[in-house]
């Protein structure tokens, strides 16, 4: 595989390596939002949300559009929504496996 593609993937996944950034992307996968809306939904203060949005912007994961004095954020690529859904499915699969293992252990005792 081309090293530039591997580098892109590494940088892409680094951008996803923070729970708040993932949550921001999940929220934006539902609807475009401004900073105030994101702060309210996330229950976090503005500086933390703004800092994570800056990372997402620098990695080209979100777009911004200025509407008057408000900046509205959106997903740059709709496939991010699919990636998050696949990650959720992987999590669910691991959870099911863990539950099954615990049930097996419980039944052996």
């Amino acid at each position: 595989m081309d090293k530039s593609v591997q580098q892109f993937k590494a940088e892409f996944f680094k951008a996803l390596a923070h729970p708040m950034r993932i949550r921001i992307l999940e929220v934006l996968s539902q609807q475009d939002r401004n900073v105030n809306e994101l702060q309210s939904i996330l229950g976090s203060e503005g500086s933390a949300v703004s800092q994570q949005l800056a990372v997402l912007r620098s990695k080209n994961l979100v777009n911004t559009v200025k509407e008057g004095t408000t900046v509205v954020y959106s997903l740059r690529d709709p496939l991010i929504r699919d990636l998050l859904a696949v990650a959720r499915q992987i999590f669910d699969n691991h959870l099911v496996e863990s539950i099954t293992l615990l049930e097996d252990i419980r039944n052996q005792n």
Side-chain angles (χ1 to χ4, degrees):
M1 187 183 303
D2 186 7
K3 287 188 179 191
S4 61
V5 173
Q6 292 170 338
Q7 185 63 37
F8 170 82
K9 288 179 181 180
E11 292 300 319
F12 179 82
F13 284 112
K14 280 183 200 175
L16 297 177
H18 191 283
M20 184 179 287
R21 290 195 292 265
I22 291 172
R23 184 67 183 121
I24 289 169
L25 293 172
E26 289 172 340
V27 169
L28 294 177
S29 73
Q30 301 298 316
Q31 182 179 340
D32 299 353
R33 302 284 184 171
N34 64 44
V35 175
N36 291 333
E37 292 170 327
L38 288 168
Q39 290 170 348
S40 177
I41 292 167
L42 299 171
S44 185
E45 55 188 61
S47 60
V49 173
S50 293
Q51 181 181 24
Q52 300 310 324
L53 284 167
V55 172
L56 293 172
R57 273 193 323 267
S58 72
K59 299 298 181 181
N60 293 316
L61 295 178
V62 296
N63 284 329
T64 59
V65 174
K66 192 152 181 147
E67 295 180 358
T69 60
T70 303
V71 177
V72 177
Y73 292 85
S74 62
L75 295 181
R76 183 168 186 260
D77 189 325
L79 288 175
I80 293 170
R81 181 181 303 113
D82 297 339
L83 177 68
L84 294 172
V86 169
R88 177 59 188 233
Q89 289 172 331
I90 293 168
F91 171 80
D92 290 348
N93 291 344
H94 284 279
L95 186 59
V96 167
E97 290 172 9
S98 296
I99 290 170
T100 301
L101 178 62
L102 287 172
E103 288 172 348
D104 288 347
I105 292 169
R106 188 179 313 167
N107 290 335
Q108 291 175 1
N109 292 331

